[in-house]
């Protein structure tokens, strides 16, 4: 009895092992099949893949549904159509490889989800543009210059970050078009020329309004080309979206504001005027002086300044009066007195670099002098509390108590300041590095020294060659290369140039990617952009090339 049970169990176990092996082999076969292709772009339902130099499409089960015929494939956002290229010509296919638009165009740009802006180029290099649908029907003849900012940032309807952007945008409703006569109009993404090409200039100002210029004068029309504001103005801006809906305008050499009924709300009495900011203020100029007015034409800041900056999101504005600079608040109270030859805007610490009688110092928002005016130049304080300064023609560093941290004995400096404990300085025409105790960490023997990186390495330049050192001045990468990435190693590799070509080396100076590229960028997220014979590619850390796409 036990023997029979044991035999049955053995048979079942062997059967299970065979079935398991079958499933394992099948899964391995699927994985192997997938590994035959390089995935370029993945979507929920399919993936664009590459084999050799050609692209195709596989479904979610790995089945090849579009053969490897194309140089590039880019999915049009929100559709199952793909812009396909062969030999630098563009057309459109669907996911079943049906040819919708012949591959004959110089370029195709998705316009909404139904149309494409098509570009033709003749043998002389002349460009013409028109609009076609996805069946190659001409919706707008090829006689226009079409201005359209196609957006690459829309992504597939998925929250999975692995799915990369599609090609085009769902958002754009219309594009600006220009005829050979030089006249402008607008076409919508149904291919309808809803604003005829009859204007000298044209701008979309939102909310259904379009700024247009005709015979030297500006006006506003709606999307049906009906006149909203007559063409009476030398200059005209957009209606503001808050409050009264006012637009700045110029007439007979003076500026004012009108409303949507073309009524003059602010009289044409100003030499210049700005749109109203978030505080409801407009900077205006009158009789050569600047001030601020509100939407009722009330004077908020009197017209007494030769220069007056905007308040933006701040409670202060830089101003100039009687040739000197200071700061005022929104009530025209003086924060920093008008006694300086120049002032910078306040930084996040509330400090402004100032010039007075040819010397540099620093003041705060109350006008208090933080750093006295005894320097040739003072640069902003960094997060480490130090500022580079220049005194008697030499560079050094000070802290916020005006104490000298790095003595004033250097001819030049790296204005990045301290980077990972050291700062590059120049002395007697040679560069070296000093630490925070003003001690020389790397001797002054280099033609130039770049900032140290987190890796503890810095790129240096000597005898017209580049290399890399560490903080003990040990040479990590021999100083033998014609060019390199000044930022140093990225993801363990450094781009270097030798004999006219770029390659990549590791921290042991071992060549990881050979010298055969005309240009190369640093690695980021496992890939770098390289260029060869005028064509850009992505390259991985093993030197494998991928199609370059602007994502």
């Amino acid at each position: 009895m036990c023997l029979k049970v044991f035999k049955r169990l053995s048979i079942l176990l062997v059967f299970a092992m065979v079935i398991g092996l079958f499933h394992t082999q099948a899964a391995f076969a699927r994985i192997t099949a997938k590994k035959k292709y390089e995935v370029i772009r993945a979507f929920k339902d399919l993936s664009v893949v590459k084999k050799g130099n050609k692209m195709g499409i596989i479904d979610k089960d790995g089945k090849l549904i579009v053969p490897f015929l194309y140089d590039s494939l880019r999915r049009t956002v929100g559709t199952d159509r793909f812009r396909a290229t062969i030999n630098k010509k563009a057309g459109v296919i669907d996911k079943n490889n049906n040819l919708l638009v012949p591959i004959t165009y110089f370029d195709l740009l998705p316009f909404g989800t139904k149309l494409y802006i098509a570009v033709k180029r003749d043998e002389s290099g002349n460009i013409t543009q028109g609009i076609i649908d996805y069946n190659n029907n001409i919706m707008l003849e090829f006689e226009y210059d079409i201005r359209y900012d196609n957006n690459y940032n829309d992504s597939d309807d998925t929250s999975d970050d692995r799915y990369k952007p599609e090609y085009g945008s769902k958002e754009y409703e219309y594009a600006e078009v220009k005829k050979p006569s030089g006249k402008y109009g607008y076409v919508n993404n149904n291919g309808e020329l809803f604003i005829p090409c009859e204007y000298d200039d044209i701008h979309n100002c939102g909310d259904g309004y379009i700024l247009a210029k005709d015979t030297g004068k500006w006006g506003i029309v709606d999307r049906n080309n009906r006149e909203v504001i007559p063409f009476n103005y030398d200059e005209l801006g957009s209606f503001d979206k808050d409050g009264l809906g006012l637009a700045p305008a110029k007439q007979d050499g003076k500026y004012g504001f009108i409303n949507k009924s073309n009524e003059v709300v602010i009289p044409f009495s100003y030499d210049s005027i700005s749109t109203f900011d978030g505080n409801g203020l407009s900077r205006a100029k009158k009789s050569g002086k600047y001030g601020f007015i509100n939407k009722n034409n009330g004077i908020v800041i009197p017209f007494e300044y030769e220069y007056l900056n905007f308040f933006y999101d701040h409670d202060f504005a830089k101003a100039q009066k009687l040739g000197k600079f200071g700061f005022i608040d929104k009530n025209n109270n003086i924060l920093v007195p008008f006694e300086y030859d120049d002032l910078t805007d306040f930084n996040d610490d509330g400090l402004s670099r100032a010039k007075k009688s040819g010397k540099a110092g620093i003041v705060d928002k109350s006008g208090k002098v933080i750093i006295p005016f005894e320097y040739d130049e003072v640069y902003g304080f960094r997060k480490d509390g130090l500022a580079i300064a220049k005194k008697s023609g030499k560079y050094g560093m000070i802290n916020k108590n005006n104490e000298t941290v790095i003595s004033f004995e250097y001819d030049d400096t790296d204005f990045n300041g301290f980077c990972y404990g050291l700062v590059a300085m120049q002395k007697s025409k040679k560069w070296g590095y000093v630490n925070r105790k003003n001690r020389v960490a790397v001797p002054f023997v280099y033609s130039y020294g770049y900032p140290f990186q987190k890796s503890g390495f810095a790129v240096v330049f000597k005898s017209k060659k580049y290399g890399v050192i560490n903080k003990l001045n040990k040479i990590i990468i021999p100083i033998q290369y014609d060019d390199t990435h000044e930022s140093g190693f990225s993801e363990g590799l450094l781009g270097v140039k030798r004999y006219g070509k770029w390659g990549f080396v590791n921290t042991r100076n071992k060549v990881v990617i050979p010298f055969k590229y005309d240009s190369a960028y640093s690695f980021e997220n496992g890939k770098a952009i390289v260029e060869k014979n005028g064509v850009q590619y992505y390259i991985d850390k093993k030197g494998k090339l991928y199609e370059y796409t602007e994502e």
Side-chain angles (χ1 to χ4, degrees), residues 377-380 382 384 386-391 393-398 405-419 422-435 438 444 447-451:
E377 295 288 348
V378 176
Y379 301 89
R382 293 168 53 85
D384 59 8
L386 301 180
I388 294 170
K390 189 176 184 182
K391 191 174 185 179
K394 298 291 185 179
Y395 288 94
M397 285 189 180
I398 58 173
V405 177
I406 302 296
S407 57
F408 290 88
E409 58 180 288
Y410 301 103
D411 303 321
D412 204 351
T413 183
D414 176 8
F415 286 91
N416 291 299
F418 278 100
C419 293
L422 298 179
V423 59
M425 308 292 281
Q426 187 194 49
K427 193 173 186 180
S428 301
K429 298 183 179 180
K430 294 294 182 179
W431 286 79
Y433 296 83
V434 298
N435 62 24
N438 198 31
F444 294 87
S447 303
Y448 193 74
Y450 294 91

Side-chain angles (χ1 to χ4, degrees), residues 481 493-506 509-521 523 529-532 539-545:
Y481 295 105
L493 296 180
L494 175 68
V496 288
K497 185 179 182 182
R498 200 171 190 187
Y499 308 125
K501 296 295 181 181
W502 284 82
F504 287 85
V505 297
N506 62 19
N509 197 38
K510 181 181 178 181
V511 177
V512 177
I513 295 173
F515 296 90
K516 59 181 181 180
Y517 298 102
D518 301 322
S519 66
Y521 294 84
F523 272 90
I529 299 171
V530 295
E531 184 175 328
K532 186 177 182 180
I539 194 169
D540 65 19
K541 293 183 179 180
K542 294 181 179 180
K544 188 175 181 180
L545 294 177

Side-chain angles (χ1 to χ4, degrees), residues 131-388:
I131 295 178
I132 61 173
D133 66 14
Y134 55 83
N135 290 314
N136 202 34
N137 297 309
I138 295 176
M139 309 301 292
L140 189 69
E141 295 294 333
F142 285 82
E143 57 182 44
Y144 296 92
D145 176 18
I146 304 176
R147 298 181 182 178
Y148 167 65
D149 181 17
N150 54 300
N151 188 344
Y152 291 93
N153 293 323
D154 290 282
S155 55
D156 194 17
D157 52 352
T158 174
S159 59
D160 193 331
D161 291 337
R162 293 176 302 164
Y163 295 104
K164 297 183 180 181
E166 294 175 303
Y167 185 70
S169 170
K170 296 177 183 177
E171 308 302 326
Y172 284 92
E173 298 180 277
Y174 47 88
E176 183 182 302
V177 294
K178 180 183 178 183
K179 293 195 74 171
S181 62
K183 298 293 185 179
Y184 293 89
Y186 275 109
V187 62
N188 62 27
N189 57 17
N190 290 317
E192 299 165 341
L193 197 66
F194 67 98
I195 300 294
C197 293
E198 59 184 32
Y199 297 106
D200 302 326
D201 203 352
I202 200 167
H203 297 289
N204 170 36
C205 53
D207 294 335
Y209 295 107
I210 294 168
L211 275 169
K213 187 178 184 181
D214 189 18
T215 60
K217 295 292 183 179
W218 287 87
I220 294 178
V221 296
D222 63 18
R223 291 191 182 186
N224 295 313
N225 201 35
R226 294 178 299 205
E227 185 178 281
V228 176
I229 300 296
F231 291 81
N232 294 334
Y233 300 100
D234 303 321
E235 294 179 25
L236 188 59
S238 303
F239 292 114
D240 64 13
K241 294 178 174 57
D242 301 317
L244 302 176
L246 304 181
K250 183 181 181 182
Q251 195 172 58
D252 298 327
K254 294 293 183 179
Y255 291 87
F257 281 88
I258 60 172
N259 62 20
K260 293 179 181 179
S261 299
N262 197 37
E263 297 169 332
V264 177
V265 178
I266 306 268
F268 292 91
S269 59
Y270 298 100
D271 303 327
S272 70
I273 209 164
S274 72
T275 54
F276 285 100
D277 62 19
N279 301 303
L281 299 178
S282 168
R283 187 185 69 177
K285 187 178 184 181
K286 195 171 187 177
S287 302
K289 301 289 185 180
Y290 288 96
F292 277 94
I293 60 172
N294 60 26
K295 292 186 178 183
N296 296 316
N297 200 32
I299 297 174
V300 178
I301 302 293
F303 293 88
E304 59 186 28
Y305 299 104
E306 296 112 47
Y307 168 84
L308 184 59
N309 201 358
F310 295 97
F311 285 102
Y312 299 109
D313 296 328
H314 308 301
D315 294 325
F316 56 83
K318 179 181 172 181
Q320 184 183 34
K321 190 174 183 180
L322 300 177
K324 296 295 183 179
F325 288 93
F327 280 92
I328 60 171
D329 66 15
K330 292 176 182 177
N331 296 315
N332 201 37
N333 296 313
I334 296 174
L335 302 177
V336 175
F338 290 89
E339 58 185 56
Y340 298 102
D341 302 322
D342 198 7
L343 289 165
T344 64
D345 286 331
F346 291 112
N347 62 18
D348 293 340
D349 295 326
L351 302 178
S352 170
R353 292 180 286 122
K355 280 286 187 76
K356 187 176 182 180
S357 302
K359 292 295 182 180
I362 294 178
V363 298
D364 66 13
K365 287 183 180 180
S366 69
K368 180 182 177 182
V369 175
I370 303 300
I371 300 296
F373 291 85
E374 59 186 48
Y375 299 99
D376 304 335
E377 295 288 348
V378 176
Y379 301 89
F381 282 102
R382 293 168 53 85
K383 290 182 180 180
D384 59 8
L386 301 180
I388 294 170

